[in-house]
Amino acid sequence: MSAHRTPTLPPGRFGELVGIPLPVVQGPFGGGLSSVELAATVSEGGGLGSYGAHIHTPEEITALVAKLRAATGRPFAVNLWVPQEGERTELPAAALAEHVERLRPYYEELGVRPPSAEDVRSWPDFDAQLDALIAAAPPVISLVMGLPPRRLVAEARRRGIVVVGTATTVEEAVALEAAGADAVVASGSDAGGHRGAFLRPVRESLVGTFSLVPQVADAVSVPVVAAGGIADGRGVAAALALGADAVQVGTGFLAARESGASEVHRRILGTPEARTTVLTRLFSGRTARGIPNGFVRDMAAHEEHVPPYPVQNALMGPVRRAAAEQGRPEYVNLWAGQAAALAQEPSAAAYLASLVEEAVRAAG
C-alpha cells in the first residue's frame, strides 16, 4: 500500500525558474521589518524567503547575504528600491528646519533627538548597494519602483542570478520584461507597504490585484507573481486561476512572530481594526498602504507638504523606532494590505503550510 501524500501545489514556471517547490514568495519588507529568520523559514518550507535591504549599507548587504546563506541552503531573494526622479538626500537648511519643526512635538513626546542634516545625507547610495548585492550574488535579486539597470541584468545573467521586477500596471510589466527582468511581480493596489509605481503617478497606477494579474499575464511572456490582498489559500487559488505563476504574500508573513515587525504592529494584524487601510506619504515620503492611526489622522493635512523619500524617511526614523519600543501604535507605521484582517497564524512555517493546504482545497 502506498503512503498517503498530502496534496500540494505544483511549483509552476516561477518555482522552476528560481528552484523552489512551492509557488509562494514571502514579500520583502523594508525599514527593518524583514528578518533573516523569517526569510530562512519560508525558504526552508519550500517557498521563496525575501529580505528588504533598501536601508542597508553596502557592507551590511554583504554581511546579510552571508547570514542568509548560513541560515538556509535553499533559494532566497534580496530586494532593493530603485531611486525615483526628484529624490535627493539634501535640502536647503531652512527647508529642512521647517520639516523638523513640523515633527518636533512627536520628537519631544517620545523623548528622541531630531535627525541632523548629516543624518539625512548619510542615506545609502543605490549604486553602491547594487554593486555589493551583485558581488554577494544571492540566488534572486528583486527590485521595486523602477527598471533593473543594464549592468544588473548583464551581471545577473553571467552569475546565474534571477532578476525579478515589480509592476503596478500592465505598462510597467511590459517595460520590466523589455529591460531584462526574468519574472514580474504584479503588485495590485491592495498590497500593503510602499507602492512601486514608476511610469505614472501613484494615483494613476492603483489597479486592484485581481484586475491587474490577468492583464499582465496576457501582456508578458515571463512568469508572473501576483501580489496584494492575498492572505489565505482562497486568494492563492484565485490568483493562480487568473494566470499568475506564483503569489507573493506580504502582510500575512509580517504578522508571523519571525518577522522584524514590532509587537504592537503584529498584534493589530488579523483583527477587525486591520480592515481599514489608507495610502500615506507621512512616514517615508513615498506612498504606502497602512492602517490609519493617530499620527496619520493628525498629520493628514500635511500629506502634500512632507519632503520626498529618503528625507522624510530619515526624519521619521526616530519617531517610528521609539514608538515601537515604547508600545505606542499611534505613531508606528502600521503597514498592511487590504486583506490584513485575514492574517491569523503566528508561525511562518505553519502559515506557509496553511496557504498551500487551503489553496488546494479551494481549487477543488
Side-chain angles (χ1 to χ4, degrees), residues 277-297:
T277 62
V278 297
L279 295 172
T280 179
R281 294 182 59 245
L282 293 171
F283 285 104
S284 72
R286 283 187 178 181
T287 303
R289 182 177 295 284
I291 299 166
N293 55 11
F295 179 79
V296 171
R297 294 185 177 101

Side-chain angles (χ1 to χ4, degrees), residues 311-361:
V311 175
Q312 179 70 3
N313 200 58
L315 293 176
M316 283 298 298
V319 173
R320 295 193 306 265
R321 288 190 294 271
E325 291 168 2
Q326 296 174 26
R328 305 280 298 274
E330 65 268 32
Y331 302 129
V332 175
N333 49 317
L334 302 170
W335 299 147
Q338 290 187 318
L342 296 176
Q344 298 291 337
E345 180 55 63
S347 159
Y351 181 53
L352 177 60
S354 72
L355 287 173
V356 174
E357 293 167 8
E358 291 174 7
V360 171
R361 288 199 304 270

Side-chain angles (χ1 to χ4, degrees), residues 121-218:
R121 281 195 296 269
S122 63
W123 199 256
D125 176 74
F126 172 75
D127 289 325
Q129 289 177 317
L130 189 60
D131 287 341
L133 190 54
I134 291 171
V140 179
I141 293 176
S142 65
L143 301 173
V144 291
M145 307 180 189
L147 299 174
R150 291 179 182 175
R151 63 190 176 90
L152 167 60
V153 173
E155 281 298 303
R157 286 179 177 161
R158 188 173 72 83
R159 297 169 183 256
I161 303 168
V162 174
V163 176
V164 178
T166 304
T168 66
T169 65
V170 175
E171 290 75 17
E172 289 178 354
V174 171
L176 284 164
E177 181 177 30
D182 298 304
V184 172
V185 175
S187 180
S189 58
D190 320 41
H194 286 84
R195 302 304 305 141
F198 59 90
L199 289 184
R200 292 175 180 268
V202 170
R203 66 180 179 274
E204 297 178 21
S205 308
L206 297 175
V207 186
T209 302
F210 294 116
S211 295
L212 180 64
V213 168
Q215 295 183 73
V216 170
D218 287 349

